[in-house]
Amino acid sequence: EKVHMLTDGKGNFTRMMGMLVKKDDKGFGLRSWRYSMYVVDGEIKKMFVEPNFKDDTPDDTFEVSDAGTMIDYLKESK
C-alpha cells in the first residue's frame, strides 16, 4: 500500500537525473538506466544503480536495482 511505482514515459525525469542512456545497440533508442530509488517526501534517501552505467554498454546487468535489494535495505534501516 505504501509503494508507488512511477513511469516516466517521455524520459523527462530520467534525463534530469542523468540516467538516460542510448540503447541503440539493443534496438531501443533512449532508455532509463536500471536503478531503484527510495524517496521520502520528495527527498532521495537511497539509490541502487546498476554497474557499468554508460551508453551502448554490452553489459546490461540486473544485480542491485531489484526489489529484493531494496527490501533488504529497508529492513536493515529500521
Side-chain angles (χ1 to χ4, degrees):
E1 293 175 11
K2 295 182 180 182
V3 174
H4 299 279
M5 304 296 278
L6 303 175
T7 61
D8 184 23
K10 293 183 180 181
N12 295 332
F13 179 78
T14 303
R15 184 176 290 106
M16 288 187 292
M17 288 290 296
M19 300 293 285
L20 200 62
V21 293
K22 294 178 185 175
K23 286 296 180 182
D24 295 332
D25 64 321
K26 300 208 183 300
F28 293 129
L30 293 174
R31 304 288 287 184
S32 175
W33 188 248
R34 289 183 178 148
Y35 64 94
S36 62
M37 182 186 305
Y38 175 53
V39 180
V40 176
D41 295 328
E43 179 184 347
I44 299 169
K45 298 290 187 175
K46 181 71 175 174
M47 284 183 70
F48 293 99
V49 180
E50 293 298 340
N52 301 317
F53 172 63
K54 60 184 175 183
D55 291 338
D56 293 330
T57 182
D59 184 16
D60 199 8
T61 60
F62 186 59
E63 299 171 7
V64 300
S65 64
D66 61 303
T69 299
M70 182 61 75
I71 290 168
D72 289 344
Y73 168 77
L74 294 172
K75 285 179 182 177
E76 292 171 9
S77 66
K78 292 200 175 213

